[in-house]
Amino acid sequence: MQELSILAVACLGALAAASPVEQRATNYVGYLVSTFTDANPKVQQYLSNGNNAYSFRFLNKGSPVLSSTVGTKAVRDIFLATNTARSEYYLLATDLDINAPGFSWDAATRTGSRGIVVWKSTDLVTWSASSLRTIEVSTAGMVWAPSAVWDDATSQYYVFWSSRHYATSDARHTGTASLDRIRYATTKDFVTFSSPSDYLAPSGTPVIDQEFQYLGTAGSFARFVKNETTLQVYEERTTGGLFGSWSRVGTYVTTQTPREGPASFADNTTPGLYHLWLDNYTQYVPYKTNSITTGGWSTESVSGFPSGLKHGSITPLTQVEYNALGAKYPS
């Protein structure tokens, strides 16, 4: 595992005032799903049939498009990040192999990987070799579910993940850990990172699996988080940017449990329509709403929705991107 590399940050106050924004194109023609399976923990991708948000074909003839050669050599929780210019793409993943001999979830949370697996591309189809980037300090027990938001104002990514921490005197992490929380750092290149800090650590509530959804105007976001006690996902909203004040929207997205790994995306053709996929520990279940600021999520019962999709991300695609993926990885 690589040593932790630090990118100096002017001051924490500047980060607190930041308001990353995402600019959306108006000519998206489809969606890309980046995911994995428990049985085959590698990067797998699905391409939508046009702008149909429920109809997808398995790319690369059903084989993974990328495999990790670093860390545990297995990945989960796939997230695709890009900048406004869409001049670079990063695939991020949790470095974790639940199929390894002697695997236990307890050990994975105490002495798991403190890094994330990263691939880089400039065209969405030709990728670098995998790299393992350590982003957490030695008190952390693990790094799970990485995601990233590009900020035009500072030309950098805000990277988020789930972790828990142990006392500095507990070098082997054998004692009681803090509650699970969301952490973050910044990076310009996914090679060097700022020192990690807490982002979301609600009192008495362990939380993991955070996902953001930009709502179309500067500073306006929804976020989805899994409560590890109730095993349910809840929504919060802000108009003050990622580091502004957030308010709870309803109770939980659904009363069904368990749910985790939220993946949210705006519909490419219907203004105000948002989709949210929640992993039920077996596969994704699709939900939708026309009133994301007030909740009102309903389960989508659709034929043809692919089975087996796990905690991943959905990315809207331009025509150039859509064509390149279909040509490089035929289904």
Side-chain angles (χ1 to χ4, degrees):
M1 183 179 292
Q2 298 181 178
E3 292 299 315
L4 179 65
S5 52
I6 301 299
L7 176 67
V9 176
C11 69
L12 188 59
L15 291 181
S19 180
V21 298
E22 170 192 325
Q23 295 181 5
R24 291 182 53 80
T26 58
N27 58 341
Y28 292 137
V29 300
Y31 310 93
L32 174 67
V33 180
S34 301
T35 186
F36 75 101
T37 62
D38 288 332
N40 198 3
K42 302 175 182 180
V43 180
Q44 301 170 32
Q45 292 185 322
Y46 290 73
L47 187 64
S48 66
N49 292 307
N51 271 323
N52 189 326
Y54 306 105
S55 177
F56 293 83
R57 57 187 187 272
F58 202 159
L59 291 180
N60 205 28
K61 298 181 180 180
S63 296
V65 298
L66 292 169
S67 301
S68 175
T69 60
V70 295
T72 66
K73 298 183 180 180
V75 291
R76 304 173 65 82
D77 315 330
I78 314 300
F79 188 88
L80 177 60
T82 188
N83 58 9
T84 301
R86 299 175 89 92
S87 60
E88 61 183 19
Y89 308 85
Y90 293 93
L91 274 166
L92 317 177
T94 301
D95 176 37
L96 180 63
D97 184 5
I98 69 169
N99 300 313
F103 172 82
S104 77
W105 284 106
D106 181 66
T109 59
R110 292 179 181 273
T111 57
S113 178
R114 293 187 291 112
I116 58 174
V117 180
V118 179
W119 290 268
K120 182 180 180 179
S121 174
T122 57
D123 60 7
L124 204 55
V125 294
T126 304
W127 292 92
S128 68
S130 55
S131 59
L132 184 63
R133 305 298 186 186
T134 301
I135 58 176
E136 262 292 10
V137 294
S138 61
T139 56
M142 82 290 190
V143 168
W144 286 356
S147 65
V149 176
W150 169 257
D151 178 27
D152 270 330
T154 57
S155 297
Q156 65 183 353
Y157 295 89
Y158 285 77
V159 185
F160 301 87
W161 64 90
S162 310
S163 189
R164 65 177 60 170
H165 286 255
Y166 295 81
T168 54
S169 59
D170 185 9
R172 295 188 175 183
H173 299 180
T174 58
T176 301
S178 70
L179 295 178
D180 297 329
R181 62 194 58 203
I182 307 299
R183 301 266 284 173
Y184 82 98
T186 60
T187 184
K188 291 180 179 289
D189 56 11
F190 287 91
V191 176
T192 56
F193 297 80
S194 68
S195 298
S197 299
D198 281 354
Y199 176 69
L200 179 61
S203 177
T205 305
V207 291
I208 65 171
D209 292 1
Q210 178 183 253
E211 168 89 349
F212 290 108
Q213 175 62 63
Y214 178 58
L215 299 182
T217 58
S220 185
F221 288 87
R223 69 182 178 194
F224 304 93
V225 184
K226 180 193 178 187
N227 180 324
E228 273 285 76
T229 299
T230 63
L231 306 184
Q232 292 177 299
V233 172
Y234 62 87
E235 177 189 349
E236 293 184 322
R237 181 177 177 245
T238 186
T239 56
L242 301 186
F243 295 86
S245 297
W246 292 80
S247 58
R248 185 76 168 255
V249 178
T251 50
Y252 293 100
V253 170
T254 176
T255 57
Q256 299 167 309
T257 58
R259 293 291 186 268
E260 65 177 5
S264 176
F265 61 105
D267 193 85
N268 284 346
T269 59
T270 304
L273 174 61
Y274 290 87
H275 305 276
L276 178 66
W277 297 0
L278 300 181
D279 190 335
N280 67 1
Y281 289 17
T282 299
Q283 61 186 2
Y284 266 133
V285 177
Y287 299 82
K288 70 173 183 178
T289 186
N290 287 294
S291 56
I292 193 169
T293 58
T294 59
W297 294 95
S298 60
T299 306
E300 272 292 89
S301 180
V302 292
S303 60
F305 186 74
S307 62
L309 298 182
K310 295 284 292 178
H311 187 160
S313 63
I314 299 92
T315 305
L317 298 173
T318 64
Q319 189 70 66
V320 170
E321 295 166 334
Y322 188 92
N323 291 346
L325 284 158
K328 177 71 173 184
Y329 305 115
S331 55

